[in-house]
Amino acid sequence: MPDSPFEYAPAPESRDIANLKPAYRPFINGEFVDGAGEPLKSINPATEEVLAEVSTASKSDVDTAVKAARRAYEKSWGKMPGAERAKYIFRLARLIQERARELAVLESLDNGKPIKESRDSDIPTAAAHFFYHAGWADKLDYAGYGPDPRPLGVAGQVIPWNFPLLMLAWKIAPALATGNTVVLKPAETTPLTALVFAEICQQAELPPGVVNILPGAGDIGAELVGHPDVNKIAFTGSTEVGKLIQRTVAGTPKKLTLELGGKAANVVFDDAPLDQAVEGIVNGIFFNQGHVCCAGSRLLVQESIVDEVLAKLRYRVSTLRIGDPLDKNTDIGAINSREQLTKIQELVDSGDTEGAQRWTSPCPVPERGFFFAPTVFSDVQQSMRIAREEIFGPVLSVLTFRTPEEAVTKANNTPYGLSAGIWTEKGSRILWMANQLRAGVVWANTFNRFDPAAPFGGYQESGFGREGGRTGLEAYLDV
Amino acid sequence: MTVTSTATDTPSPLPERLADATRDETSLRRFLHGLPGVDQVGVEQRAAGLGTRSIKKAAKRWAIDTAISMVDLTTLEGADTRGKVRALAAKAKLPDPEHPDTPRVAAVCVYPDLVATAVEALQGTGIGVASVATAFPSGRSSREIKLADVKMAVDAGASEVDMVIDRGAFLEGRYGHVFEEIQAIKTACGQAHLKVILETGELATYDNARRASWLALLAGGDFIKTSTGKVSPAATLPVTHVMLQAVHDWHQVTGELRGVKPAGGIRTTKDAIKYLVAVHEVAGPQWLDPHLFRFGASSLLNDLLLQRRTQLDGHYSGPDYVTVD
């Protein structure tokens, strides 16, 4: 709020902590090598400056990496007793913690997310995933999959740009714990923390070839998915690409899990704890600039309280601070790429055209970099594009309902089904709703809570398979 | 700094919904229980999150000065003497003799029998004299005695009265009783401003804290105050969030501005600044004003003074450089 005498002082994290190097290279068979692909430039979305040049993998590099992973699987990792594997994975977890500040600053530079989120959420949760899965490595025989669950072999993993290191942890930790080896392709716009993680693998003296990291664009991902010697594909990203992958994998013995888009309903009943519901709505859609596949992007409010909720919501959203991701006061950082910004803009324009009421936070927005002010659409109808398509940005669509049944019907009326939220003080209604909603995760009186022990995944076009918890291990085991 | 008018000097009829709420005991109960609940996990999370804002340099100097001007410098001991009150008044007038530009505190807060001493010592300074009344701190006495207590403080010249609510009646669900008592005391206060102490530590839940806040606002309290300082927990950030939200919502509905006073347990500048961030972001920037926000504290002032010097002199001077009264 610009007119206040109480201006918070900028408190930027020093970017030196990130140990940014001018160039990064693919990691194959335990070593950093020059990729034969076209090098790409990773840019800072908050300033549009080039952060580093990244050498990318070519198709032949994919083959080399898969071969290295196969060798490592057959010679060491796949045969290693679980207790031994656990030691390595615990070591990875501790090293992530030790280098947490460096990783957090680098993540914010490369991705544009606010430092308070990378520091307090992304990196600690990434470390937690390694700790959690390390604990499973020697207990698989007792996990309820029968006496001797077997690893699948080589896992090809493709991850998105919204939580670069966290998604890496979600993929690599269970794969390693269950005895698989990994070839992972980070997103084109955010490869840096994955390549620092490769350094951590070296530091942990992980046997060569157990983890391979190949920066590159979609074609490298496609090559990895199509490689005949890969046993398991795990993908997190857009539904569109997920469908392509499913077509490629169909008819092969490869196992597949997909974690795709979402258009989650966040349902607020008239007896909800309103102030905390408003917090939950804000956290649900504006966390990580709305670049969250399980974001609560469709707010369903009971008609009797819609004005009150909107008033409270607008006031609260107007206090959100948008700006330099490295500033500890920043609530909303930068949109990851120009391309994504254009996409958000296009969908928001469609909201205007289709007659929804647009409200944009009056907060000052930086002139340079890719930023989008928090936006709330009211009077949104089910038929509008902004109520159906995933926007993947800080844009909330507010719809209304009259009865609990209608809330369920509207919440489920989507091709997606990753997550949902329920806000009510009535416990019985929470349980009833949770049973009715077609979503992988249903949060009650909270939103966007993650834990390595809680399985996460979707229905319908949000994909299939679960990550996290005991259920998540199954995707990497022959059971 | 005197307490100037807030909305209660120009009473405007309450909106229908609120006027109806106080029609009778049943309506009052229905209204209070109809308020949205408070989710404990959510409010504590928000309070913790807002506590990490960075306040530095100019903003910190401003925050320290503002916090000083919001202090109700308080002594509420059985052993209070006129001498002690005079010492406190002297400190209120000139908190840091080496830096005479240090703002004065908002008020000095004493027991009713010491109001006259405080009034005399603070004459002409514009610093308020607040008095706890109504059988403070337990509030366990008859209406007559409570009113007499208030009358004693007001007659002696108190410009602000800090009353305690009957927590027993509140927890029994006799909201009408609590409401009437606040109204009666408000009338007895005359021109003096009424701060209503909810003693949130004894109300135990955030839902109760919210209901009690609305009850006090409906009954005409100018301020809602967390605690007497005699019960633990006293002021906490999350409960202050709930109360700030209540005055914000009250303002949205009625247009009136009412204040909040956390009291007890706020000892450091760092803590005080966290409260100011909450005031700024939950109630709104308008509340960053001693007319609408106070700290009930005795030892907080010294830490504020020390931190103020640290900002000005570039080094920390230590507790021997401020007075201990």
Side-chain angles (χ1 to χ4, degrees), chain A residues 1 4-9 11 272-276 279 312 315-316 321 329 331 449, chain B residues 37-39 43 45-46 53-56 59 62 210 245 248-249 277 280-281 283-284:
Chain A
M1 280 185 240
S4 162
F6 198 32
E7 271 303 315
Y8 302 147
L274 283 192
D275 297 320
Q276 287 72 49
E279 285 304 303
K312 278 178 178 284
Y315 178 75
R316 176 67 180 94
R321 302 162 66 88
N329 296 310
D331 296 313
R449 299 273 115 207
Chain B
V38 183
D39 186 77
V43 73
Q45 210 172 302
R46 167 114 209 258
R53 295 291 198 204
S54 88
I55 313 297
K56 292 177 181 171
W62 184 88
R210 171 181 232 141
Q245 190 76 55
H248 172 86
D249 292 344
V277 171
H280 185 213
E281 298 206 22

mmCIF file of all heavy atoms in Angstrom, chain A residues 1 4-9 11 272-276 279 312 315-316 321 329 331 449, chain B residues 37-39 43 45-46 53-56 59 62 210 245 248-249 277 280-281 283-284:
data_model
loop_
_atom_site.group_PDB
_atom_site.id
_atom_site.type_symbol
_atom_site.label_atom_id
_atom_site.label_comp_id
_atom_site.label_asym_id
_atom_site.label_seq_id
_atom_site.Cartn_x
_atom_site.Cartn_y
_atom_site.Cartn_z
ATOM 1 N N MET A 1 0.843 -1.204 0.000
ATOM 2 C CA MET A 1 0.000 0.000 0.000
ATOM 3 C C MET A 1 0.871 1.245 0.000
ATOM 4 O O MET A 1 1.548 1.530 0.984
ATOM 5 C CB MET A 1 -0.877 -0.035 1.238
ATOM 6 C CG MET A 1 -2.054 -0.933 1.007
ATOM 7 S SD MET A 1 -3.150 -0.867 2.390
ATOM 8 C CE MET A 1 -3.082 -2.567 2.830
ATOM 9 N N SER A 4 0.939 4.276 2.772
ATOM 10 C CA SER A 4 1.203 4.032 4.175
ATOM 11 C C SER A 4 2.554 4.585 4.587
ATOM 12 O O SER A 4 3.517 4.530 3.832
ATOM 13 C CB SER A 4 1.160 2.527 4.427
ATOM 14 O OG SER A 4 1.810 2.261 5.640
ATOM 15 N N PRO A 5 2.644 5.126 5.834
ATOM 16 C CA PRO A 5 3.953 5.558 6.319
ATOM 17 C C PRO A 5 4.826 4.363 6.679
ATOM 18 O O PRO A 5 6.003 4.508 6.939
ATOM 19 C CB PRO A 5 3.595 6.350 7.575
ATOM 20 C CG PRO A 5 2.296 5.778 8.030
ATOM 21 C CD PRO A 5 1.571 5.348 6.792
ATOM 22 N N PHE A 6 4.217 3.198 6.695
ATOM 23 C CA PHE A 6 4.888 2.010 7.200
ATOM 24 C C PHE A 6 5.357 1.179 6.010
ATOM 25 O O PHE A 6 4.805 0.143 5.724
ATOM 26 C CB PHE A 6 3.881 1.241 8.045
ATOM 27 C CG PHE A 6 4.491 0.226 8.974
ATOM 28 C CD1 PHE A 6 5.735 0.427 9.532
ATOM 29 C CD2 PHE A 6 3.798 -0.920 9.305
ATOM 30 C CE1 PHE A 6 6.280 -0.501 10.409
ATOM 31 C CE2 PHE A 6 4.330 -1.854 10.178
ATOM 32 C CZ PHE A 6 5.574 -1.644 10.722
ATOM 33 N N GLU A 7 6.369 1.694 5.318
ATOM 34 C CA GLU A 7 6.885 0.967 4.159
ATOM 35 C C GLU A 7 7.907 -0.052 4.630
ATOM 36 O O GLU A 7 8.878 0.303 5.296
ATOM 37 C CB GLU A 7 7.544 1.957 3.186
ATOM 38 C CG GLU A 7 6.603 2.532 2.170
ATOM 39 C CD GLU A 7 5.906 1.457 1.343
ATOM 40 O OE1 GLU A 7 6.598 0.512 0.900
ATOM 41 O OE2 GLU A 7 4.687 1.551 1.162
ATOM 42 N N TYR A 8 7.688 -1.293 4.277
ATOM 43 C CA TYR A 8 8.658 -2.305 4.674
ATOM 44 C C TYR A 8 9.949 -2.075 3.892
ATOM 45 O O TYR A 8 9.929 -1.741 2.715
ATOM 46 C CB TYR A 8 8.133 -3.705 4.393
ATOM 47 C CG TYR A 8 6.830 -3.999 5.087
ATOM 48 C CD1 TYR A 8 5.886 -4.823 4.502
ATOM 49 C CD2 TYR A 8 6.552 -3.451 6.324
ATOM 50 C CE1 TYR A 8 4.687 -5.086 5.139
ATOM 51 C CE2 TYR A 8 5.353 -3.707 6.968
ATOM 52 C CZ TYR A 8 4.423 -4.523 6.366
ATOM 53 O OH TYR A 8 3.240 -4.780 6.992
ATOM 54 N N ALA A 9 11.074 -2.251 4.578
ATOM 55 C CA ALA A 9 12.361 -2.067 3.922
ATOM 56 C C ALA A 9 12.637 -3.251 3.019
ATOM 57 O O ALA A 9 12.364 -4.386 3.393
ATOM 58 C CB ALA A 9 13.450 -1.962 4.971
ATOM 59 N N ALA A 11 14.424 -6.278 1.721
ATOM 60 C CA ALA A 11 15.370 -7.148 2.411
ATOM 61 C C ALA A 11 15.781 -8.255 1.448
ATOM 62 O O ALA A 11 15.395 -9.395 1.603
ATOM 63 C CB ALA A 11 14.728 -7.735 3.664
ATOM 64 N N ALA A 272 -18.426 -21.289 7.142
ATOM 65 C CA ALA A 272 -16.967 -21.467 7.185
ATOM 66 C C ALA A 272 -16.315 -20.435 8.090
ATOM 67 O O ALA A 272 -16.889 -19.363 8.322
ATOM 68 C CB ALA A 272 -16.412 -21.322 5.781
ATOM 69 N N PRO A 273 -15.133 -20.750 8.627
ATOM 70 C CA PRO A 273 -14.359 -19.711 9.321
ATOM 71 C C PRO A 273 -13.856 -18.723 8.261
ATOM 72 O O PRO A 273 -12.820 -18.947 7.632
ATOM 73 C CB PRO A 273 -13.212 -20.493 9.965
ATOM 74 C CG PRO A 273 -13.095 -21.751 9.166
ATOM 75 C CD PRO A 273 -14.443 -22.034 8.576
ATOM 76 N N LEU A 274 -14.617 -17.648 8.044
ATOM 77 C CA LEU A 274 -14.414 -16.841 6.834
ATOM 78 C C LEU A 274 -13.027 -16.218 6.704
ATOM 79 O O LEU A 274 -12.439 -16.223 5.626
ATOM 80 C CB LEU A 274 -15.470 -15.735 6.751
ATOM 81 C CG LEU A 274 -16.861 -16.191 6.294
ATOM 82 C CD1 LEU A 274 -17.709 -14.979 5.966
ATOM 83 C CD2 LEU A 274 -16.788 -17.118 5.092
ATOM 84 N N ASP A 275 -12.507 -15.669 7.801
ATOM 85 C CA ASP A 275 -11.204 -14.999 7.675
ATOM 86 C C ASP A 275 -10.118 -15.992 7.304
ATOM 87 O O ASP A 275 -9.232 -15.690 6.508
ATOM 88 C CB ASP A 275 -10.845 -14.281 8.977
ATOM 89 C CG ASP A 275 -11.840 -13.181 9.291
ATOM 90 O OD1 ASP A 275 -12.253 -12.493 8.328
ATOM 91 O OD2 ASP A 275 -12.214 -13.026 10.450
ATOM 92 N N GLN A 276 -10.198 -17.191 7.890
ATOM 93 C CA GLN A 276 -9.199 -18.194 7.540
ATOM 94 C C GLN A 276 -9.489 -18.767 6.159
ATOM 95 O O GLN A 276 -8.574 -19.145 5.433
ATOM 96 C CB GLN A 276 -9.156 -19.302 8.597
ATOM 97 C CG GLN A 276 -8.506 -18.867 9.903
ATOM 98 C CD GLN A 276 -9.377 -17.905 10.693
ATOM 99 O OE1 GLN A 276 -10.550 -18.153 10.900
ATOM 100 N NE2 GLN A 276 -8.815 -16.787 11.114
ATOM 101 N N GLU A 279 -7.797 -16.535 3.857
ATOM 102 C CA GLU A 279 -6.366 -16.881 3.835
ATOM 103 C C GLU A 279 -6.128 -18.103 2.959
ATOM 104 O O GLU A 279 -5.171 -18.163 2.188
ATOM 105 C CB GLU A 279 -5.867 -17.202 5.254
ATOM 106 C CG GLU A 279 -5.678 -16.009 6.141
ATOM 107 C CD GLU A 279 -4.748 -14.996 5.534
ATOM 108 O OE1 GLU A 279 -3.607 -15.348 5.215
ATOM 109 O OE2 GLU A 279 -5.181 -13.843 5.350
ATOM 110 N N LYS A 312 -13.964 -9.241 1.619
ATOM 111 C CA LYS A 312 -12.813 -9.631 2.431
ATOM 112 C C LYS A 312 -11.634 -10.056 1.553
ATOM 113 O O LYS A 312 -10.482 -9.716 1.820
ATOM 114 C CB LYS A 312 -13.186 -10.800 3.357
ATOM 115 C CG LYS A 312 -13.899 -10.384 4.630
ATOM 116 C CD LYS A 312 -14.277 -11.602 5.462
ATOM 117 C CE LYS A 312 -14.955 -11.228 6.760
ATOM 118 N NZ LYS A 312 -14.027 -10.718 7.784
ATOM 119 N N TYR A 315 -9.904 -7.057 -0.122
ATOM 120 C CA TYR A 315 -9.067 -6.325 0.826
ATOM 121 C C TYR A 315 -7.770 -7.093 1.092
ATOM 122 O O TYR A 315 -6.682 -6.542 1.061
ATOM 123 C CB TYR A 315 -9.825 -6.090 2.149
ATOM 124 C CG TYR A 315 -8.968 -5.387 3.167
ATOM 125 C CD1 TYR A 315 -8.703 -4.024 3.038
ATOM 126 C CD2 TYR A 315 -8.367 -6.090 4.209
ATOM 127 C CE1 TYR A 315 -7.879 -3.375 3.931
ATOM 128 C CE2 TYR A 315 -7.543 -5.448 5.108
ATOM 129 C CZ TYR A 315 -7.303 -4.086 4.967
ATOM 130 O OH TYR A 315 -6.467 -3.453 5.854
ATOM 131 N N ARG A 316 -7.918 -8.386 1.320
ATOM 132 C CA ARG A 316 -6.742 -9.204 1.640
ATOM 133 C C ARG A 316 -5.774 -9.248 0.460
ATOM 134 O O ARG A 316 -4.562 -9.124 0.639
ATOM 135 C CB ARG A 316 -7.203 -10.616 2.009
ATOM 136 C CG ARG A 316 -6.088 -11.604 2.283
ATOM 137 C CD ARG A 316 -5.330 -11.234 3.540
ATOM 138 N NE ARG A 316 -4.255 -12.190 3.796
ATOM 139 C CZ ARG A 316 -2.987 -12.019 3.384
ATOM 140 N NH1 ARG A 316 -2.651 -10.939 2.711
ATOM 141 N NH2 ARG A 316 -2.085 -12.920 3.653
ATOM 142 N N ARG A 321 2.088 -8.308 -1.633
ATOM 143 C CA ARG A 321 3.155 -7.516 -2.228
ATOM 144 C C ARG A 321 3.771 -8.283 -3.385
ATOM 145 O O ARG A 321 4.210 -9.406 -3.240
ATOM 146 C CB ARG A 321 4.200 -7.195 -1.160
ATOM 147 C CG ARG A 321 3.585 -6.448 0.021
ATOM 148 C CD ARG A 321 4.477 -6.528 1.228
ATOM 149 N NE ARG A 321 5.714 -5.822 1.004
ATOM 150 C CZ ARG A 321 5.909 -4.532 1.250
ATOM 151 N NH1 ARG A 321 4.946 -3.826 1.751
ATOM 152 N NH2 ARG A 321 7.075 -3.966 1.013
ATOM 153 N N ASN A 329 10.140 -9.757 1.772
ATOM 154 C CA ASN A 329 8.774 -9.254 1.966
ATOM 155 C C ASN A 329 7.846 -9.607 0.814
ATOM 156 O O ASN A 329 6.656 -9.302 0.866
ATOM 157 C CB ASN A 329 8.778 -7.733 2.075
ATOM 158 C CG ASN A 329 9.520 -7.252 3.293
ATOM 159 O OD1 ASN A 329 9.270 -7.723 4.388
ATOM 160 N ND2 ASN A 329 10.443 -6.339 3.106
ATOM 161 N N ASP A 331 5.372 -11.326 -1.574
ATOM 162 C CA ASP A 331 4.392 -12.412 -1.494
ATOM 163 C C ASP A 331 4.217 -13.083 -2.855
ATOM 164 O O ASP A 331 3.938 -14.268 -2.935
ATOM 165 C CB ASP A 331 3.024 -11.868 -1.051
ATOM 166 C CG ASP A 331 3.065 -11.287 0.353
ATOM 167 O OD1 ASP A 331 3.610 -11.955 1.243
ATOM 168 O OD2 ASP A 331 2.573 -10.164 0.548
ATOM 169 N N ARG A 449 -1.353 -27.984 1.419
ATOM 170 C CA ARG A 449 -0.474 -28.578 2.430
ATOM 171 C C ARG A 449 0.128 -29.843 1.826
ATOM 172 O O ARG A 449 -0.595 -30.650 1.258
ATOM 173 C CB ARG A 449 -1.265 -28.991 3.677
ATOM 174 C CG ARG A 449 -1.966 -27.876 4.382
ATOM 175 C CD ARG A 449 -1.068 -27.213 5.379
ATOM 176 N NE ARG A 449 -0.841 -25.839 4.945
ATOM 177 C CZ ARG A 449 0.220 -25.125 5.237
ATOM 178 N NH1 ARG A 449 1.185 -25.653 5.943
ATOM 179 N NH2 ARG A 449 0.339 -23.892 4.827
ATOM 180 N N GLY B 37 -16.825 -18.734 12.398
ATOM 181 C CA GLY B 37 -15.861 -19.288 13.348
ATOM 182 C C GLY B 37 -14.457 -18.839 13.025
ATOM 183 O O GLY B 37 -14.198 -18.233 11.997
ATOM 184 N N VAL B 38 -13.567 -19.132 13.956
ATOM 185 C CA VAL B 38 -12.151 -18.836 13.723
ATOM 186 C C VAL B 38 -11.422 -20.169 13.710
ATOM 187 O O VAL B 38 -11.541 -20.953 14.657
ATOM 188 C CB VAL B 38 -11.571 -17.947 14.837
ATOM 189 C CG1 VAL B 38 -10.118 -17.609 14.526
ATOM 190 C CG2 VAL B 38 -12.388 -16.682 14.993
ATOM 191 N N ASP B 39 -10.700 -20.433 12.652
ATOM 192 C CA ASP B 39 -9.946 -21.679 12.574
ATOM 193 C C ASP B 39 -8.583 -21.477 13.224
ATOM 194 O O ASP B 39 -7.791 -20.639 12.787
ATOM 195 C CB ASP B 39 -9.797 -22.102 11.122
ATOM 196 C CG ASP B 39 -9.151 -23.467 11.005
ATOM 197 O OD1 ASP B 39 -9.857 -24.448 11.236
ATOM 198 O OD2 ASP B 39 -7.941 -23.532 10.711
ATOM 199 N N VAL B 43 -5.436 -19.146 11.772
ATOM 200 C CA VAL B 43 -5.102 -17.830 12.316
ATOM 201 C C VAL B 43 -3.670 -17.848 12.879
ATOM 202 O O VAL B 43 -2.917 -16.869 12.722
ATOM 203 C CB VAL B 43 -6.143 -17.339 13.348
ATOM 204 C CG1 VAL B 43 -6.048 -18.085 14.658
ATOM 205 C CG2 VAL B 43 -5.985 -15.846 13.586
ATOM 206 N N GLN B 45 -1.247 -19.663 11.768
ATOM 207 C CA GLN B 45 -0.351 -19.687 10.614
ATOM 208 C C GLN B 45 -0.181 -18.287 10.027
ATOM 209 O O GLN B 45 0.910 -17.855 9.688
ATOM 210 C CB GLN B 45 -1.009 -20.581 9.576
ATOM 211 C CG GLN B 45 -0.084 -21.313 8.683
ATOM 212 C CD GLN B 45 -0.912 -22.299 7.873
ATOM 213 O OE1 GLN B 45 -1.592 -23.156 8.409
ATOM 214 N NE2 GLN B 45 -0.887 -22.136 6.582
ATOM 215 N N ARG B 46 -1.297 -17.584 9.912
ATOM 216 C CA ARG B 46 -1.237 -16.232 9.355
ATOM 217 C C ARG B 46 -0.383 -15.329 10.244
ATOM 218 O O ARG B 46 0.444 -14.553 9.776
ATOM 219 C CB ARG B 46 -2.652 -15.662 9.236
ATOM 220 C CG ARG B 46 -2.705 -14.174 8.964
ATOM 221 C CD ARG B 46 -3.276 -13.879 7.606
ATOM 222 N NE ARG B 46 -2.783 -12.658 7.017
ATOM 223 C CZ ARG B 46 -3.448 -11.513 6.967
ATOM 224 N NH1 ARG B 46 -4.634 -11.428 7.512
ATOM 225 N NH2 ARG B 46 -2.924 -10.462 6.376
ATOM 226 N N ARG B 53 7.838 -10.203 8.131
ATOM 227 C CA ARG B 53 8.092 -9.008 7.310
ATOM 228 C C ARG B 53 9.368 -8.327 7.792
ATOM 229 O O ARG B 53 9.666 -8.321 8.984
ATOM 230 C CB ARG B 53 6.928 -8.014 7.447
ATOM 231 C CG ARG B 53 5.618 -8.507 6.899
ATOM 232 C CD ARG B 53 5.648 -8.619 5.412
ATOM 233 N NE ARG B 53 4.318 -8.674 4.837
ATOM 234 C CZ ARG B 53 4.053 -9.225 3.653
ATOM 235 N NH1 ARG B 53 5.019 -9.775 2.945
ATOM 236 N NH2 ARG B 53 2.840 -9.224 3.180
ATOM 237 N N SER B 54 10.111 -7.730 6.883
ATOM 238 C CA SER B 54 11.352 -7.104 7.328
ATOM 239 C C SER B 54 11.157 -5.602 7.489
ATOM 240 O O SER B 54 10.721 -4.918 6.574
ATOM 241 C CB SER B 54 12.471 -7.400 6.331
ATOM 242 O OG SER B 54 12.483 -6.432 5.338
ATOM 243 N N ILE B 55 11.423 -5.154 8.703
ATOM 244 C CA ILE B 55 11.266 -3.742 9.008
ATOM 245 C C ILE B 55 12.656 -3.219 9.351
ATOM 246 O O ILE B 55 13.264 -3.644 10.331
ATOM 247 C CB ILE B 55 10.331 -3.555 10.223
ATOM 248 C CG1 ILE B 55 9.070 -4.391 10.081
ATOM 249 C CG2 ILE B 55 9.995 -2.090 10.439
ATOM 250 C CD1 ILE B 55 8.187 -4.043 8.928
ATOM 251 N N LYS B 56 13.151 -2.326 8.537
ATOM 252 C CA LYS B 56 14.518 -1.853 8.754
ATOM 253 C C LYS B 56 14.611 -0.345 8.521
ATOM 254 O O LYS B 56 13.696 0.262 7.982
ATOM 255 C CB LYS B 56 15.468 -2.521 7.756
ATOM 256 C CG LYS B 56 15.652 -3.997 7.967
ATOM 257 C CD LYS B 56 16.535 -4.504 6.866
ATOM 258 C CE LYS B 56 16.780 -5.990 6.959
ATOM 259 N NZ LYS B 56 17.454 -6.464 5.766
ATOM 260 N N ALA B 59 11.870 2.674 8.079
ATOM 261 C CA ALA B 59 10.624 2.057 8.530
ATOM 262 C C ALA B 59 10.741 1.630 9.993
ATOM 263 O O ALA B 59 9.788 1.753 10.765
ATOM 264 C CB ALA B 59 10.281 0.849 7.663
ATOM 265 N N TRP B 62 10.575 4.679 12.219
ATOM 266 C CA TRP B 62 9.191 5.124 12.287
ATOM 267 C C TRP B 62 8.381 4.198 13.196
ATOM 268 O O TRP B 62 7.594 4.647 14.020
ATOM 269 C CB TRP B 62 8.596 5.153 10.873
ATOM 270 C CG TRP B 62 7.204 5.702 10.844
ATOM 271 C CD1 TRP B 62 6.844 7.006 10.716
ATOM 272 C CD2 TRP B 62 5.989 4.948 10.994
ATOM 273 N NE1 TRP B 62 5.483 7.129 10.772
ATOM 274 C CE2 TRP B 62 4.927 5.887 10.933
ATOM 275 C CE3 TRP B 62 5.686 3.611 11.162
ATOM 276 C CZ2 TRP B 62 3.597 5.507 11.041
ATOM 277 C CZ3 TRP B 62 4.361 3.226 11.278
ATOM 278 C CH2 TRP B 62 3.328 4.175 11.213
ATOM 279 N N ARG B 210 -13.531 -13.793 19.430
ATOM 280 C CA ARG B 210 -14.243 -13.027 18.411
ATOM 281 C C ARG B 210 -15.610 -12.586 18.915
ATOM 282 O O ARG B 210 -16.015 -11.437 18.729
ATOM 283 C CB ARG B 210 -14.389 -13.865 17.140
ATOM 284 C CG ARG B 210 -15.297 -13.207 16.147
ATOM 285 C CD ARG B 210 -15.448 -14.048 14.900
ATOM 286 N NE ARG B 210 -15.149 -13.208 13.769
ATOM 287 C CZ ARG B 210 -14.492 -13.587 12.702
ATOM 288 N NH1 ARG B 210 -14.036 -14.786 12.592
ATOM 289 N NH2 ARG B 210 -14.290 -12.746 11.726
ATOM 290 N N GLN B 245 -9.161 -8.041 13.281
ATOM 291 C CA GLN B 245 -10.126 -8.376 12.239
ATOM 292 C C GLN B 245 -11.510 -7.888 12.644
ATOM 293 O O GLN B 245 -12.272 -7.377 11.817
ATOM 294 C CB GLN B 245 -10.134 -9.897 12.036
ATOM 295 C CG GLN B 245 -10.921 -10.353 10.825
ATOM 296 C CD GLN B 245 -10.153 -10.105 9.545
ATOM 297 O OE1 GLN B 245 -9.022 -10.550 9.403
ATOM 298 N NE2 GLN B 245 -10.769 -9.378 8.618
ATOM 299 N N HIS B 248 -11.753 -4.176 12.135
ATOM 300 C CA HIS B 248 -11.792 -3.943 10.689
ATOM 301 C C HIS B 248 -13.207 -4.217 10.162
ATOM 302 O O HIS B 248 -13.779 -3.398 9.435
ATOM 303 C CB HIS B 248 -10.779 -4.850 9.979
ATOM 304 C CG HIS B 248 -10.880 -4.824 8.488
ATOM 305 N ND1 HIS B 248 -10.229 -3.885 7.721
ATOM 306 C CD2 HIS B 248 -11.577 -5.597 7.629
ATOM 307 C CE1 HIS B 248 -10.521 -4.089 6.448
ATOM 308 N NE2 HIS B 248 -11.330 -5.130 6.359
ATOM 309 N N ASP B 249 -13.771 -5.360 10.561
ATOM 310 C CA ASP B 249 -15.114 -5.716 10.098
ATOM 311 C C ASP B 249 -16.147 -4.721 10.624
ATOM 312 O O ASP B 249 -17.086 -4.356 9.918
ATOM 313 C CB ASP B 249 -15.480 -7.141 10.557
ATOM 314 C CG ASP B 249 -14.634 -8.202 9.860
ATOM 315 O OD1 ASP B 249 -14.005 -7.872 8.823
ATOM 316 O OD2 ASP B 249 -14.583 -9.350 10.339
ATOM 317 N N VAL B 277 2.907 -4.744 12.304
ATOM 318 C CA VAL B 277 2.676 -5.338 10.977
ATOM 319 C C VAL B 277 1.262 -5.907 10.912
ATOM 320 O O VAL B 277 0.547 -5.731 9.919
ATOM 321 C CB VAL B 277 3.720 -6.433 10.679
ATOM 322 C CG1 VAL B 277 3.352 -7.201 9.422
ATOM 323 C CG2 VAL B 277 5.106 -5.829 10.535
ATOM 324 N N HIS B 280 -1.148 -3.097 10.537
ATOM 325 C CA HIS B 280 -1.056 -2.580 9.176
ATOM 326 C C HIS B 280 -1.802 -3.448 8.180
ATOM 327 O O HIS B 280 -2.546 -2.961 7.336
ATOM 328 C CB HIS B 280 0.439 -2.507 8.812
ATOM 329 C CG HIS B 280 0.709 -1.894 7.488
ATOM 330 N ND1 HIS B 280 1.764 -2.286 6.706
ATOM 331 C CD2 HIS B 280 0.076 -0.948 6.790
ATOM 332 C CE1 HIS B 280 1.763 -1.593 5.589
ATOM 333 N NE2 HIS B 280 0.754 -0.763 5.619
ATOM 334 N N GLU B 281 -1.611 -4.765 8.294
ATOM 335 C CA GLU B 281 -2.146 -5.628 7.249
ATOM 336 C C GLU B 281 -3.520 -6.218 7.565
ATOM 337 O O GLU B 281 -4.253 -6.572 6.660
ATOM 338 C CB GLU B 281 -1.149 -6.754 6.918
ATOM 339 C CG GLU B 281 0.157 -6.174 6.392
ATOM 340 C CD GLU B 281 0.936 -7.120 5.489
ATOM 341 O OE1 GLU B 281 0.344 -8.044 4.920
ATOM 342 O OE2 GLU B 281 2.154 -6.920 5.365
ATOM 343 N N ALA B 283 -5.989 -4.910 10.210
ATOM 344 C CA ALA B 283 -6.992 -3.850 10.383
ATOM 345 C C ALA B 283 -6.871 -2.841 9.241
ATOM 346 O O ALA B 283 -7.850 -2.475 8.605
ATOM 347 C CB ALA B 283 -6.804 -3.167 11.720
ATOM 348 N N GLY B 284 -5.655 -2.411 8.960
ATOM 349 C CA GLY B 284 -5.424 -1.430 7.897
ATOM 350 C C GLY B 284 -4.510 -0.334 8.387
ATOM 351 O O GLY B 284 -4.396 -0.108 9.595
#
